[in-house]
Amino acid sequence: MLFCRGFSRISRIPRTSLFGFILSPPTGPSQSLLSNQYLNSTLKVCGGRETFSWGLPAFHGVGGQIHYQSSSIIEEQLDPFSLVADELSLVANRLRSMVVAEVPKLASAAEYFFKLGVEGKRFRPTVLLLMATALNIHIPEPTAGGVGDTLTTDLRTRQQSIAEITEMIHVASLLHDDVLDDADKRRGISSLNAAMGNKLAVLAGDFLLSRACVGLAALKNTEVVSLLATVVEHLVTGETMQMTTSSEQRCSMEYYMQKTYYKTASLISNSCKAIALLAGQTAEVAMLAFEYGKHLGLAFQLIDDVLDFTGTSASLGKGSLSDIQHGIVTAPILFAMEEFPQLHAIVYQGFDNPENVDIALEYLGKSHGIQRTRELAMKHANLAAAAIESLPESNDEQIRKSRRALVDLTQRVITRNN
Amino acid sequence: MERLDPFSLVADELSLIANRLRSMVVADVSNLASAAEYFFKIGAEGKRFRPTVLLLMATALNVHIPELPPAGVGDTLPTDLRTSQQRIAEITEMIHVASLLHDDVLDDADKRRGIGSLNAVMGNKLAVLAGDFLLSRACVSLASLKNTEVVTLIATVVENLVTGETMQLTTASKQRFSMDYYMQKTYNKTASLLSNSCKSIAILAGHTAEVAMLAFEYGKNLGLAFQLIDDVLDFTGTSASLGKGSLSDIRHGIITAPILFAMEEFPELHAVLDQGFKNPANVDIALGFLGKSSGIQRTKELAMKHANLAAQVIESLPESDDADVIRSRQALIDLTQRVITRNK
């Protein structure tokens, strides 16, 4: 990342976020480790969010088929990502060429988009494309087109557009979240690089948002515009909540879940709903799509919280601990606080003092915090799966496969190790 | 014909809009709320120039339209046409302020509208987030108008604003010194918002493409005239002589029309501009050349040309006998003169 060279972010490394699938097939554990390190090191230099890859056990690459021993499911388990691999390339290429062609100035930052916006991150578009197929039911009455028919462009292309727009909004929010304040600059970062980095980050983010606006307008569906505009509002609100928590708010599970919805789940829920709306689905089905996205997103983040403590091992303290070190109090700690009220005082004080981190970890270890968080994640994952199972029935094989894949994803989200 | 103050014609409506704006940027998170409403607070609202133009345009276009397009199925008829047009004014202001917030971060500005810039007061990141917040609120409001053509127009504005900002950060000499590039950048950064929002006003009223285009042309030419005079005032300030202005453009290395014209007469200026203005001596040298040239004069003339084009557009609108319509059109013409004769 040209503009970030020589500029290391001393303030907290932002949280892992909902992306990081390496689709270049890892041939074995060492291979995926290598990919991880490459991404991680690139990002640490640039102060971007850490990516992670879902090193799924027994994942043998794109197109591979995973067979589960499952008591009730007889059908073949397909890798969800392989179902939409070609489309994803299409979406990725469109996104990439749009950025490079239209704003050469930002092309140096385009590398950033490629790493984060394309190669690494395909989770959201995968969900959306699968959802598009899953909802591809024949609708008996044509939707009202009105003057200026909204259905002239191919439905699938429009839904792919939602996937692109969603990625643009996501990357834009990452870029803007990374804007530094003078306080950060003063901690020894070269001010020139930081300043330049800031400007390009703001500009690149604005560029993506503006393209998202244009893309949304082209869909000629004002409800979809409203949904995705709301996502931007939520992302900003969530980030601000994270930046400005009071001691009291830090101790509240409700506040935490609200923030988590805003920062992580809203994007998936609203874009899933948009997919349904474009397909002319009923409000009920659109709501199911919304619920799937919401619960999937929440489940994902809760496991993310756990992994920050546990890392790739089941025991505490092997994770990166980046949340707690940055004073971000997540579900495991909040649960622990219910069992050990003494933890309140520590959380209230905050975690600038590293001793508090150790104390908190100790309480966490003695508590059921990790376990309860996993259970909550599982609850949400199951709710997501239930939403899919509530969709209007279909005999179409493609539709059924996609729905199974969406259900499959809900399990992968909670069983992953990284 | 009584010469009314254009702003007084719409003063009450402006207050209404200002109040609605303040309530529209309320946020649940207090820091975000303070940031978002920073420039909508009483005293910090700015000149209200844009909303004035739009409200006047709305009245100016308040003529009977022989055939209104049929309402589409699922179309929400505007609660009131006027209300939806007012909403355009609100949306326009939110987008405008959002762009100011980001520009100030990009320019490291510490002052705006006579008070501390938001980034100086609350930090860069919050300023950026607040800008995004305003943009998202504007888009939600835009969507509620349920008019996809208007959504497209305003989305174009957002895109143009970013392009304009990107163009401004361009350092390649060939472009920096090109009048065409400068005018394109000026359109993107200043005139596009006015032109497209004026057009939106016309479209909401159900006017033909021709009338919508006239509204567009008014906004565009008015915006260009406005910016050109802005460029002049940055050099001249409240006096006709050079150097009394804030000179903030040139100090930031932003080359504007007066200098571009001067360069045509004094190619030596190229070298000075290439060196940049970190060295304040270069500012003096550039001003020296500018003073000897007709740069200021030619910029004023160009501004006048655009102002006159804007006035002519109003005169081309479909005739009307309605007193309010006539008054508003007169006010719009009046504005084109005020834009070029103003001293600040």
Side-chain angles (χ1 to χ4, degrees):
Chain A
M1 207 157 83
L2 216 58
F3 59 89
C4 281
R5 211 158 283 157
F7 149 55
S8 59
R9 196 180 159 104
I10 294 177
S11 62
R12 68 176 183 85
I13 294 172
R15 324 191 50 172
T16 55
S17 56
L18 204 60
F19 60 85
F21 283 106
I22 318 287
L23 281 194
S24 53
T27 53
S30 56
Q31 176 78 355
S32 47
L33 198 59
L34 210 62
S35 322
N36 271 356
Q37 285 173 349
Y38 170 67
L39 275 177
N40 283 343
S41 60
T42 308
L43 287 172
K44 279 195 172 83
V45 165
C46 297
R49 290 188 188 170
E50 273 177 37
T51 59
F52 63 92
S53 72
W54 287 16
L56 304 158
F59 174 56
H60 293 295
V62 175
Q65 298 187 353
I66 303 172
H67 298 270
Y68 290 122
Q69 281 299 100
S70 169
S71 52
S72 54
I73 299 170
I74 307 168
E75 299 122 326
E76 231 174 80
Q77 288 283 1
L78 271 180
D79 162 31
F81 305 100
S82 68
L83 279 186
V84 292
D86 291 339
E87 254 186 315
L88 281 179
S89 294
L90 193 65
V91 168
N93 287 336
R94 274 209 294 260
L95 205 49
R96 177 192 312 204
S97 59
M98 178 269 293
V99 171
V100 173
E102 298 193 24
V103 197
K105 189 161 190 65
L106 296 177
S108 62
E111 219 188 295
Y112 183 79
F113 301 144
F114 297 166
K115 299 275 183 292
L116 296 188
V118 176
E119 255 65 281
K121 176 195 1 219
R122 298 195 183 182
F123 177 71
R124 266 168 240 86
T126 298
V127 170
L128 296 176
L129 294 173
L130 287 173
M131 182 63 77
T133 310
L135 298 179
N136 200 10
I137 311 170
H138 169 65
I139 298 147
E141 297 155 38
T143 49
V147 176
D149 192 8
T150 62
L151 299 177
T152 46
T153 321
D154 177 33
L155 171 62
R156 192 71 184 191
T157 307
R158 287 154 61 75
Q159 289 170 325
Q160 286 167 0
S161 189
I162 296 285
E164 284 162 41
I165 290 166
T166 304
E167 280 313 272
M168 287 189 253
I169 290 175
H170 176 72
V171 176
S173 80
L174 294 186
L175 288 166
H176 283 182
D177 285 352
D178 276 355
V179 167
L180 298 178
D181 284 323
D182 286 336
D184 297 311
K185 285 196 240 171
R186 261 182 261 123
R187 281 191 220 127
I189 302 166
S190 152
S191 61
L192 178 67
N193 279 346
M196 210 39 214
N198 254 9
K199 287 181 205 262
L200 277 174
V202 175
L203 206 51
D206 284 349
F207 169 74
L208 288 172
L209 282 177
S210 74
R211 293 303 293 167
C213 283
V214 170
L216 280 172
L219 292 173
K220 301 219 175 290
N221 183 314
T222 55
E223 202 178 343
V224 167
V225 172
S226 188
L227 281 178
L228 290 178
T230 305
V231 168
V232 174
E233 181 184 323
H234 286 175
L235 286 169
V236 166
T237 305
E239 182 64 17
T240 311
M241 283 172 86
Q242 185 152 291
M243 276 165 72
T244 60
T245 349
S246 71
S247 306
E248 229 178 281
Q249 287 163 333
R250 221 181 290 138
C251 300
S252 156
M253 180 59 104
E254 213 183 299
Y255 189 82
Y256 167 78
M257 289 304 282
Q258 181 64 62
K259 184 201 76 173
T260 299
Y261 173 73
Y262 282 153
K263 275 183 72 72
T264 308
S266 170
L267 184 58
I268 315 179
S269 61
N270 282 299
S271 49
C272 280
K273 186 174 179 182
I275 292 282
L277 290 178
L278 283 183
Q281 290 288 353
T282 61
E284 286 74 27
V285 171
M287 213 50 202
L288 288 171
F290 178 91
E291 289 290 312
Y292 173 82
K294 177 179 114 183
H295 290 297
L296 188 75
L298 292 175
F300 180 90
Q301 190 57 53
L302 288 163
I303 295 299
D304 215 48
D305 294 347
V306 166
L307 292 175
D308 195 59
F309 288 107
T310 65
T312 54
S313 133
S315 60
L316 279 178
K318 297 280 173 65
S320 63
L321 300 178
S322 97
D323 289 335
I324 198 168
Q325 279 165 353
H326 291 107
I328 298 170
V329 176
T330 58
I333 297 282
L334 291 166
F335 279 128
M337 263 165 42
E338 289 176 18
E339 294 173 57
F340 295 98
Q342 312 91 306
L343 199 39
H344 265 270
I346 307 291
V347 172
Y348 219 79
Q349 282 173 32
F351 296 95
D352 286 331
N353 176 2
E355 271 179 37
N356 278 354
V357 174
D358 293 328
I359 300 175
L361 285 181
E362 221 186 290
Y363 278 116
L364 180 60
K366 286 193 270 186
S367 75
H368 296 105
I370 296 287
Q371 181 58 27
R372 289 174 69 192
T373 307
R374 285 193 195 270
E375 283 165 9
L376 184 57
M378 187 168 310
K379 174 179 145 200
H380 283 291
N382 291 340
L383 284 169
I388 298 302
E389 270 140 28
S390 311
L391 289 173
E393 284 211 26
S394 164
N395 288 325
D396 181 291
E397 191 46 42
Q398 286 307 310
I399 293 180
R400 293 165 70 88
K401 253 202 296 238
S402 297
R403 292 183 186 188
R404 279 202 300 281
L406 287 171
V407 171
D408 189 36
L409 275 176
T410 69
Q411 289 309 300
R412 289 176 186 239
V413 157
I414 56 180
T415 55
R416 65 197 170 95
N417 275 334
N418 55 16
Chain B
M1 161 80 56
E2 209 182 294
R3 192 153 176 249
L4 272 176
D5 165 28
F7 302 98
S8 69
L9 276 186
V10 294
D12 292 337
E13 255 185 315
L14 281 179
S15 293
L16 190 66
I17 286 173
N19 288 336
R20 275 211 293 262
L21 267 173
R22 273 188 285 275
S23 67
M24 279 171 86
V25 301
V26 164
D28 288 335
V29 179
S30 66
N31 284 57
L32 195 53
S34 320
E37 66 180 22
Y38 192 70
F39 287 119
F40 295 105
K41 284 189 315 224
I42 298 177
E45 322 94 297
K47 301 177 277 246
R48 305 204 206 174
F49 174 68
R50 269 162 228 83
T52 299
V53 171
L54 295 175
L55 295 173
L56 288 172
M57 182 61 77
T59 310
L61 294 178
N62 200 11
V63 295
H64 169 66
I65 299 155
E67 285 164 42
L68 273 171
V73 176
D75 229 346
T76 314
L77 287 174
T79 323
D80 178 29
L81 171 61
R82 193 71 183 191
T83 306
S84 61
Q85 289 170 326
Q86 287 167 356
R87 212 170 280 179
I88 295 286
E90 289 153 28
I91 290 164
T92 304
E93 271 316 88
M94 281 191 276
I95 290 175
H96 175 65
V97 171
S99 76
L100 293 185
L101 291 176
H102 282 199
D103 283 359
D104 285 346
V105 171
L106 289 169
D107 296 340
D108 285 322
D110 55 8
K111 280 243 176 298
R112 164 74 70 181
R113 291 182 179 175
I115 57 179
S117 63
L118 183 65
N119 49 302
V121 170
M122 294 188 198
N124 285 335
K125 185 167 170 183
L126 203 53
V128 172
L129 292 179
D132 293 346
F133 179 81
L134 289 176
L135 180 64
S136 71
R137 282 283 162 98
C139 287
V140 171
S141 182
L142 187 59
S144 74
L145 292 174
K146 300 221 178 291
N147 185 310
T148 56
E149 196 179 349
V150 168
V151 172
T152 302
L153 286 177
I154 304 296
T156 307
V157 171
V158 175
E159 190 183 32
N160 288 348
L161 284 169
V162 174
T163 304
E165 206 42 47
T166 310
M167 287 172 88
Q168 184 143 296
L169 286 182
T170 297
T171 45
S173 300
K174 231 167 69 174
Q175 287 163 328
R176 268 169 97 218
F177 300 162
S178 150
M179 186 55 111
D180 279 340
Y181 191 78
Y182 167 78
M183 290 304 282
Q184 183 61 56
K185 185 201 79 172
T186 299
Y187 172 75
N188 283 334
K189 276 178 70 74
T190 307
S192 168
L193 185 56
L194 267 172
S195 61
N196 283 298
S197 49
C198 281
K199 186 173 180 181
S200 300
I201 293 282
I203 287 172
L204 283 178
H207 278 286
T208 61
E210 286 73 28
V211 172
M213 212 50 200
L214 289 172
F216 179 93
E217 288 292 314
Y218 175 83
K220 176 181 117 185
N221 283 296
L222 188 75
L224 291 174
F226 182 91
Q227 188 58 51
L228 288 163
I229 295 298
D230 221 48
D231 293 347
V232 167
L233 292 174
D234 196 58
F235 287 107
T236 66
T238 54
S239 135
S241 60
L242 279 176
K244 299 282 174 64
S246 61
L247 300 176
S248 94
D249 288 334
I250 198 167
R251 289 210 184 102
H252 282 101
I254 297 170
I255 315 281
T256 58
I259 297 281
L260 288 169
F261 280 129
M263 260 169 33
E264 287 176 20
E265 296 172 56
F266 296 99
E268 309 91 287
L269 248 184
H270 271 265
V272 179
L273 295 174
D274 266 330
Q275 283 173 32
F277 295 96
K278 297 258 167 67
N279 175 3
N282 277 352
V283 175
D284 294 327
I285 298 173
L287 288 181
F289 279 116
L290 182 60
K292 284 194 273 184
S293 75
S294 26
I296 295 287
Q297 182 56 29
R298 290 173 69 193
T299 307
K300 290 196 192 195
E301 283 165 10
L302 184 57
M304 188 168 309
K305 174 179 144 200
H306 283 292
N308 291 340
L309 281 170
Q312 280 164 33
V313 161
I314 299 301
E315 272 142 22
S316 314
L317 289 173
E319 286 212 23
S320 165
D321 293 329
D322 183 292
D324 285 329
V325 171
I326 294 175
R327 239 198 319 252
S328 296
R329 293 183 187 187
Q330 187 56 45
L332 285 172
I333 292 174
D334 193 43
L335 272 176
T336 69
Q337 289 310 298
R338 287 179 185 242
V339 153
I340 54 180
T341 56
R342 66 198 169 97
N343 276 334
K344 55 180 168 62

